[in-house]
Amino acid sequence: MPDDRGRSWPRPRSVTLAIAGIVGLALVLRIHGASFGLPALNDPDELIFELGALKMLRSLSLNPGWFGHPGTTTMEVLALVNLTVLGLGRAMGWFADIKAFAGAVYANPAWIILPGRLAMVAFGAGTVWQTFRLGEELGDTREQAGLARHAGLAAAALVAIEPASVAWSQVIRTDIMATFFMLLSLRAAMRAMREGRLGDHVVSGLWLGVAIATKWPTGIAGVALIGAAAVRLSTERTRTREIAAHLAAGAVATVIGLLAVSPYIALDFATVVHNLHGEAQSHHLGATGGSPLYNLGWYAGGPVLSGLGVIGCGLALWGGWWLLRHRAGAIVLPVLGAFAATICSQTLVWERWVLPLIPLLAIAMGLGWAQLMARIEKTPALRLAGFALLAAALIQPAMAMTTRKIERQTDARQLATNWAKAHIPPGSTVLVEHFAFDILPQPWHLIFPFGTVGCVDVRAYLGGKVQYDTVDAGRGGRSNIDYGTVAPDKRGTCRADYAIITQYDRYAAERGTFPEEYAAYRALLARGRIMATFATVPGRVGGWTTHVVALDQPKADQAPRNQLSAAQRPR
């Protein structure tokens, strides 16, 4: 196991082949299905990051105009990807000029969304590799090298198939990239703990700064350098001043790394504050949490259990005990604990917030399995049983990952729009709530609910090359853009013959938290009839339950009906 100290613990060829196969599998699993939904955008936030990237290209600036995550690193990568697509498109004769490219993108965002997703896929596969490398470096001695190597392989195998890691590697967001950079920082912190070199502290800080420029909460991983300093202080008390200086250097390097990647965090601080205020929500549709204990149960019984499986969770507890008794635990456990405490103390719960924890939990699982294998290594039959146990541990996450792929490929929103294409007559005015770019060619007048602005003409907005500033202003500080969040005095702009609504059932399920939004849908449905409903079905159909509604034009004296039909009642 070669490391940065020059110490040579050769990695067996079989291990090299195994990790190459695992990373290759991770890449295949993430590429497969990465085009889900296109040209429609089933994850509306993808557009936010792309608008920031397009603004960078248009202005030739590192200022994306949005710092909510902050996401600067992600938008810079997307800008490079988009520039590559433009260059290739012009070389192939697909686009005559930049204006033609922009027109093609606004008509069909798949031109840039799919390449952007493939960039996320690459970071997802890179995270699998970094998980292996961090696990491999856990061993302090030659005797521990084999244990750490096996732990790294098992951890990488788990991350390769872990359902949340696979799913979010196929979406343009910041989480997977932030996890990748965080792991690079932790590896350097591990070297800093063992070698005490100034350079390792600086490298760890620089990577941490890049991670923070990708997603703010990864700054929590800075506790790894504190853990490294604590270990050194326990054995090198005479070098207290040097250790403190190294820790300070890591902190300074973090700031340098952050500002080098995202200088406008300092230069446009007013926008940073505005965006962070917009991101701070006490309630969010489908993601409102509860007490820290409730949130802990939500994460543990949801994404963690689904991601590691029952056997994997048991092995992770055993691996955690190993970490408690070894120096490497001072790097892994504080980060694991600090992240868990942070996400559990929030008012919201999101599956993606657990992504930085997955590689660390996988390493703990790998350590538990590797300890078992170390105890039975001299008994061939038992070793075979040990590998069977690992395979069994991976079955539950693999099945969950496969189920999510099936659901993502068959989304209720696409089923609804396909039905609408066959049944809604030409010339109709259609209100659509999601980013259904797949119905742009239809001979309809399309309108979209846009917060404080009201319902807007879709083609006119796209033709005007809508910018993020316009989107942000239209949102009016709300996290969701849908019919329920349209300003009450603007709902008259939403008159249509038909509506394709995706959010009604979600608001109905949380009507106590969102009474005004729910009432808006009740009033809308009261003056129409549901023509078709496409519900989500676990293991078969994903997305959100979608209704196609035929609307009657409201009369001045028409009061909303008090009763909904059986098909309209909330599930």
Side-chain angles (χ1 to χ4, degrees), residues 48 92 100 147 157 224 253 282 315 350 371 376 407 410 484:
I48 300 299
M92 299 294 292
L147 178 91
S282 58
L315 290 172
W350 291 105
Q371 289 180 85
I376 60 176
E407 292 175 352
T410 308

Side-chain angles (χ1 to χ4, degrees), residues 44-53 66 75 435 468 471 475:
D45 287 347
E46 289 187 301
L47 191 61
I48 300 299
F49 297 108
E50 282 291 4
L51 287 175
W66 183 79
M75 288 182 276
F435 293 161
Y468 175 75
V471 175
R475 289 172 62 176

Side-chain angles (χ1 to χ4, degrees), residues 323-480:
L323 286 169
L324 278 172
R325 294 178 290 113
H326 292 80
R327 295 199 307 166
I331 303 299
V332 176
L333 292 179
V335 177
L336 193 59
F339 253 108
T342 299
I343 64 175
C344 289
S345 65
Q346 303 302 302
T347 57
L348 305 180
V349 288
W350 291 105
E351 178 194 61
R352 57 182 178 266
W353 283 359
V354 84
L355 287 173
L357 299 179
I358 294 298
L360 306 183
L361 291 170
I363 286 172
M365 184 280 290
L367 281 169
W369 176 75
Q371 289 180 85
L372 174 65
M373 295 299 289
R375 296 189 179 194
I376 60 176
E377 63 179 349
K378 296 181 179 180
T379 309
L382 290 179
R383 282 182 60 81
L384 185 61
F387 283 110
L389 178 66
L390 178 61
L394 298 178
I395 287 176
Q396 186 176 342
M399 291 179 63
M401 178 268 298
T402 303
T403 297
R404 289 187 64 158
K405 277 182 170 289
I406 294 171
E407 292 175 352
R408 180 171 270 184
Q409 292 303 308
T410 308
D411 193 285
R413 287 162 286 190
Q414 275 73 69
L415 295 179
T417 51
N418 288 338
W419 186 94
K421 290 176 186 178
H423 294 86
I424 295 180
S428 300
T429 296
V430 180
L431 165 68
V432 59
E433 281 195 307
H434 64 290
F435 293 161
F437 286 88
D438 49 342
I439 60 175
L440 279 179
Q442 296 304 116
W444 306 329
H445 175 222
L446 298 172
I447 59 175
F448 181 78
F450 200 17
T452 60
V453 180
C455 284
V456 300
D457 184 298
V458 171
R459 292 186 179 88
Y461 256 64
L462 293 177
K465 310 298 185 291
V466 61
Q467 307 296 311
Y468 175 75
D469 292 343
T470 304
V471 175
D472 190 42
R475 289 172 62 176
R478 292 179 177 269
S479 55
N480 279 39

Side-chain angles (χ1 to χ4, degrees), residues 219-382:
I220 297 168
V223 298
L225 279 179
I226 298 176
V231 169
R232 292 182 62 199
L233 281 172
S234 67
T235 57
E236 305 173 40
R237 290 185 182 142
T238 58
R239 303 173 66 184
T240 301
R241 300 177 97 187
E242 177 185 302
I243 293 170
H246 287 179
L247 191 59
V252 171
T254 300
V255 176
I256 292 173
L258 170 62
L259 295 181
V261 172
S262 188
Y264 282 88
I265 283 179
L267 299 175
D268 194 6
F269 190 68
T271 300
V272 174
V273 173
H274 171 73
N275 294 152
L276 288 176
H277 178 74
E279 289 290 306
Q281 303 284 337
S282 58
H283 298 90
H284 194 293
L285 187 62
T288 302
S291 67
L293 190 60
Y294 169 87
N295 294 345
L296 177 62
W298 188 91
Y299 285 113
V304 172
L305 182 59
S306 174
L308 271 70
V310 175
I311 298 174
C313 287
L315 290 172
L317 290 174
W318 192 6
W321 176 244
W322 187 94
L323 286 169
L324 278 172
R325 294 178 290 113
H326 292 80
R327 295 199 307 166
I331 303 299
V332 176
L333 292 179
V335 177
L336 193 59
F339 253 108
T342 299
I343 64 175
C344 289
S345 65
Q346 303 302 302
T347 57
L348 305 180
V349 288
W350 291 105
E351 178 194 61
R352 57 182 178 266
W353 283 359
V354 84
L355 287 173
L357 299 179
I358 294 298
L360 306 183
L361 291 170
I363 286 172
M365 184 280 290
L367 281 169
W369 176 75
Q371 289 180 85
L372 174 65
M373 295 299 289
R375 296 189 179 194
I376 60 176
E377 63 179 349
K378 296 181 179 180
T379 309
L382 290 179

